[in-house]
Amino acid sequence: MLPDIPLNMVQPGSVVRISQVVGGQDDVKRMAEMGLQTGTEVEMLQSGSPCIVRVGQSKLCFRQSDVLNILVSTD
């Protein structure tokens, strides 16, 4: 089993599952409101800054500091 990695380490085209959202209560709540919570599958469209991911039918764009708080599993 591979260790969890920050979302910004995922290669474009990869589909991963969120294992943990780390941060203050307000930050975690904001991510959950956008659909980013434990167990959610996301597809990396563009890594780097900005980072663009697909969650369901939505595309989301993040600053570098936001994606460091999202840990994902690649298996």
Side-chain angles (χ1 to χ4, degrees), residues 21-72:
V21 180
V22 180
Q25 184 176 2
D26 290 341
D27 294 330
V28 172
K29 181 180 177 183
R30 183 171 62 90
M31 294 295 167
E33 288 170 347
M34 291 187 282
L36 298 170
Q37 51 197 349
T38 301
T40 301
E41 276 192 357
V42 297
E43 177 185 0
M44 177 62 74
L45 300 177
Q46 175 183 311
S47 58
S49 186
C51 171
I52 302 172
V53 298
R54 182 186 320 274
V55 180
Q57 299 300 315
S58 300
K59 289 182 184 177
L60 302 174
C61 181
F62 295 99
R63 297 180 304 248
Q64 191 68 18
S65 60
D66 290 331
V67 296
L68 291 174
N69 296 326
I70 301 170
L71 300 176
V72 297

Side-chain angles (χ1 to χ4, degrees), residues 3-11 16 44 64 67-72 74:
D4 295 341
I5 60 172
L7 183 60
N8 67 328
M9 301 292 291
V10 175
Q11 295 297 312
V16 295
M44 177 62 74
Q64 191 68 18
V67 296
L68 291 174
N69 296 326
I70 301 170
L71 300 176
V72 297
T74 57

